[in-house]
Amino acid sequence: MNEKEYSLIEEMLPLLVSGGTGDFTDAEIESANKFKKFIDHLPGGFLIYRSDDREEIIYANKAIISMFACDTLEEFKSFTGNSFKGIVYYEDLECVENSIKQQISTSNDNLDYVEYRIIDKKGTIRFVEDYGHFIRTKVGDIFYVFITDATEKINKKNNERALILQEKDEKEQKLKNLIEEYDKERILIRQEHLQRLEVIEGLSVNYDSILYVDLDADMVLPYRLSERLTKQFDRKLQVRHYGWFVKDFVKCWVHPEDKQRINAILSPEYIRKTLAGNRTYYANFKCVQNSETKYLQLRIVHVKNSRHISQIVIGSRNIEEEIVQEMKNKALLETALKDSKLAYIAKNTFLSNMSHDMRTPLNALFGYLELAKKNADDKQTLERYLDKINAAGKQLLDLVDKVLQISYLESKDFQLDEKLYSIKTLTQEVYKEILPSANEKNIDVLFEFKNILHDEIYTDRDKLQQILLNIAGNAVKYTKNGGKINLTVEEKLSSSSEFATFRFIMNDTGVGIAKESLKSIFEPFEREYNSTHSGVFGSGLGLTIAKHIIDFMGGTITAESEVGVGSTFTIMLSFRLGEKPEETQSGDDVTDFLKNKKILLVEDNEINLEIETEILQDLGLIIESAENGKIAVEKVKNSSPGEYLFVLMDIQMPVMDGRQATEEIRKLEDPALAEIPIIALSANAFESDKRMSVKNGMNAHLTKPIDIPALLDAVKKVIMNK
Ligand code: ADP
């Protein structure tokens, strides 16, 4: 619609508003009717309404009426309440009215444009465009409006807008996702960073160089550099290629022996493979610095807990001290293992030897026993067999004694019982003891003293004699018939007035000992020639016992030997000096003294009782027996003082044992009876058993089987007070 048409409409309006009534000319009315006809049939909607509160509709053309699905103007007026308010969809009304007001108040030519929804009679909602124009006329203020159906256009527009919104939403969502991802990544990076710092902090306590490595990026960044590693980084904490770093590091620092291994251990493939199973691993290697070899350790730690292995931290430190300590421990362990293996082998050998050595005398014992039984009538043959049985029994006893003794020597109970003795007498006794067996083998024994200035010494006689007897006995044992043995006791010059040092040399022309065996000859269970090979009875304990006692006495023992030539054992011992001991009584005095004296023999074992009774009777003693401690106490109690010369008391017995019986006797009212000498006779052979007997109030302790010289000795000391 152009300017001209607008002004025409404005001209016609008062006529239209008044419905043709009023002060109009016929010509005006006619042109108004023509105009009305024209706008009635306009293709778009045309509407005139009052610009007051009621907004009454003055005119609506046909297009508007049909827009609301109405057939007549009346129908339309009644449907819309004949007001602009009824045209606009109620939800849009307020907004539309305000917009129009606002546009008219600011518009120079009183024009406005609004879009809104209308609802037709059938309930269909449509979008319309409203081009309005406000004018003041003679008949009041009015709006004339062109309304066009813009449903399609607006739907399209809305669709477009929705599309744009959707796109916008999508874009926003994408942005949001990106931000989220970025945040996640940032958190992850922060976590990694913290983890890395944690690892570095952990390593920093011990490691003097710490490097951060990203395998994927082939880069290494130092966090801390030791003097050694500064070379690879020009003293700066700067990034390098990891591959280059490994090559240069291995080339500069790793000892040629370890180069290949460390190269492999630091390769990304190896790192990835190893760290897939463990969070960390380490490698020790030798390093060359200033032509000195040092020990270093590399520790490789995976920073993340993820499966992908790229970020690692490598620490390096000096482990000189640890390696040295480790090597020492290893050496100690190896020695201990070797020793324990050797001990195990020695023990096994000992057991097999023992079983052989025990069986040999046992077989002899039973064999000769059978023979003796068969030849009971032939006195001469019988005696020969009994001698053999005796020898076999002694062998067995010797074996058992030695085994017991070795365990005693290794116990805490072992002690020396030192008294004053003549060294000459003491060694002569040993010489006398070996003489019969040496004579039997036709061995020439030369015994001599050299430079003996001090004869009286304090020593444990039994132990010293045992040492000498073991060595001298071996000399006889391992020397073939017709051989030679030299026994020398020599006093060494000493500046001390309190001590004298003696050298005991025992030299033989025996079978000798091989060099390898010589080294371990003093070890328990070691035997160069066991009975199986040499036919010589032995336990492999004699030298061990001797060495133990010598060590305890503060002395030394050495052995030299050559196979087939002979052996020399040398013992050095120092003794405290003392007064000359009184002359020892001969055994004959004691035997005389014992003739026809009565003793009480307390023994529960019938066989022992029989043997012991017979042996003691041979000494001229009269034997009264008691089968347990209780009976013994009764018998002593009921005896007259001096009736029994002494009591020979077994220890382990039923009803009342020997120790308790002794205590009971010592408590008897009559002091003459209470003080009766009591000598223990027991299978308990340990030193501690002997001490226990004395503690229990016994006067001496003898071990079974009964040994007559020992008994005579005890009688001499305890009863004869000599
Ligand atoms: P045993 O003689 O009871 O076997 P020892 O401990 O006394 O035990 O001796 C250990 C080993 O040392 C003997 O088995 C023997 O091989 C060797 N030996 C000891 N003394 C001599 C010696 N005088 N001559 C040759 N070998 C000896």
Side-chain angles (χ1 to χ4, degrees), residues 408-660:
Y408 167 59
L409 285 173
E410 283 171 355
S411 77
K412 285 188 230 128
D413 287 329
F414 181 60
Q415 274 182 2
L416 291 176
D417 180 18
E418 292 187 338
K419 288 196 181 117
L420 199 58
Y421 292 102
S422 151
I423 185 99
K424 282 188 176 169
T425 316
L426 198 147
T427 44
Q428 262 160 352
E429 280 171 5
V430 174
Y431 165 66
K432 278 185 203 158
E433 187 132 2
I434 61 151
L435 216 50
S437 37
N439 287 340
E440 247 178 58
K441 290 174 83 178
N442 206 13
I443 293 170
D444 199 2
V445 185
L446 181 71
F447 181 67
E448 58 175 334
F449 292 114
K450 274 191 194 166
N451 311 326
I452 306 291
L453 302 173
H454 303 93
D455 187 34
E456 301 79 38
I457 50 146
Y458 278 96
T459 189
D460 184 321
R461 185 188 63 174
D462 294 350
K463 307 252 168 32
L464 180 57
Q465 284 190 331
Q466 185 176 9
I467 297 168
L468 300 174
L469 211 56
N470 283 5
I471 312 290
N474 277 349
V476 179
K477 265 196 322 190
Y478 299 104
T479 300
K480 292 198 181 111
N481 285 10
K484 271 194 184 136
I485 295 176
N486 272 343
L487 304 179
T488 312
V489 183
E490 181 187 3
E491 185 174 341
K492 302 295 295 171
L493 281 178
S494 160
S495 53
S496 165
S497 57
E498 281 180 59
F499 290 89
T501 304
F502 293 87
R503 177 157 64 183
F504 306 83
I505 306 168
M506 276 154 276
N507 164 267
D508 63 57
T509 58
V511 292
I513 306 162
K515 243 189 185 164
E516 313 80 63
S517 310
L518 205 56
K519 281 183 247 158
S520 52
I521 207 79
F522 297 108
E523 295 295 317
F525 318 124
E526 288 288 340
R527 296 192 67 207
E528 231 265 293
Y529 297 93
N530 63 29
S531 341
T532 327
H533 296 127
S534 63
V536 177
F537 169 78
S539 60
L541 294 174
L543 288 182
T544 311
I545 292 172
K547 171 102 169 57
H548 253 291
I549 304 173
I550 292 167
D551 285 349
F552 206 83
M553 287 178 162
T556 58
I557 178 167
T558 52
E560 289 161 75
S561 189
E562 199 176 322
V563 175
V565 177
S567 313
T568 304
F569 285 83
T570 307
I571 298 166
M572 296 286 279
L573 282 168
S574 293
F575 304 99
R576 192 157 53 89
L577 296 172
E579 306 275 309
K580 188 178 169 21
E582 282 176 39
E583 277 300 304
T584 45
Q585 299 277 328
S586 78
D588 294 346
D589 295 346
V590 190
T591 354
D592 287 348
F593 172 73
L594 290 178
K595 289 255 150 53
N596 296 320
K597 298 267 167 43
K598 191 170 156 188
I599 66 160
L600 180 63
L601 175 62
V602 191
E603 173 64 72
D604 64 312
N605 183 301
E606 257 180 65
I607 300 169
N608 283 354
L609 184 66
E610 201 181 320
I611 297 168
E612 286 158 9
T613 305
E614 223 158 282
I615 293 170
L616 293 167
Q617 275 171 347
D618 277 354
L619 286 173
L621 284 166
I622 302 158
I623 310 298
E624 171 102 28
S625 66
E627 64 197 67
N628 64 46
K630 198 159 182 238
I631 298 171
V633 176
E634 282 307 302
K635 287 206 169 178
V636 172
K637 196 176 166 188
N638 298 328
S639 68
S640 50
E643 185 183 334
Y644 300 122
L645 181 64
F646 62 91
V647 179
L648 201 53
M649 179 85 82
D650 187 14
I651 301 285
Q652 286 180 2
M653 285 181 293
V655 186
M656 184 186 283
D657 69 19
R659 300 198 192 289
Q660 207 185 334

Side-chain angles (χ1 to χ4, degrees), residues 34-47:
K34 274 186 190 163
F35 177 67
K36 191 175 170 281
K37 241 185 202 168
F38 164 71
I39 53 174
D40 266 349
H41 292 96
L42 271 179
F46 182 73
L47 182 75

Side-chain angles (χ1 to χ4, degrees), residues 654-701:
V655 186
M656 184 186 283
D657 69 19
R659 300 198 192 289
Q660 207 185 334
T662 305
E663 279 171 17
E664 294 297 316
I665 292 172
R666 295 292 181 237
K667 281 191 231 157
L668 290 176
E669 266 176 43
D670 186 342
L673 294 177
E675 282 165 16
I676 188 169
I678 302 174
I679 298 171
L681 181 63
S682 164
N684 300 348
F686 283 140
E687 204 72 15
S688 53
D689 296 313
K690 292 181 187 171
R691 252 181 286 131
M692 181 76 91
S693 298
V694 176
K695 211 173 132 206
N696 277 122
M698 298 189 190
N699 303 78
H701 181 110

Side-chain angles (χ1 to χ4, degrees), residues 18 55 106 167 199 214 333 376 381 407 409 505 529 604 662 685:
S18 65
E55 294 178 335
T106 55
E167 267 174 25
V199 172
D214 190 330
L333 272 176
T381 320
S407 88
L409 285 173
I505 306 168
Y529 297 93
D604 64 312
T662 305

Side-chain angles (χ1 to χ4, degrees), residues 67-69 117-127 151:
M67 237 180 245
F68 281 85
R117 288 170 293 174
I118 58 166
I119 181 159
D120 68 12
K121 222 179 158 186
K122 289 178 187 159
T124 310
I125 291 179
R126 322 186 68 84
F127 288 96
T151 305

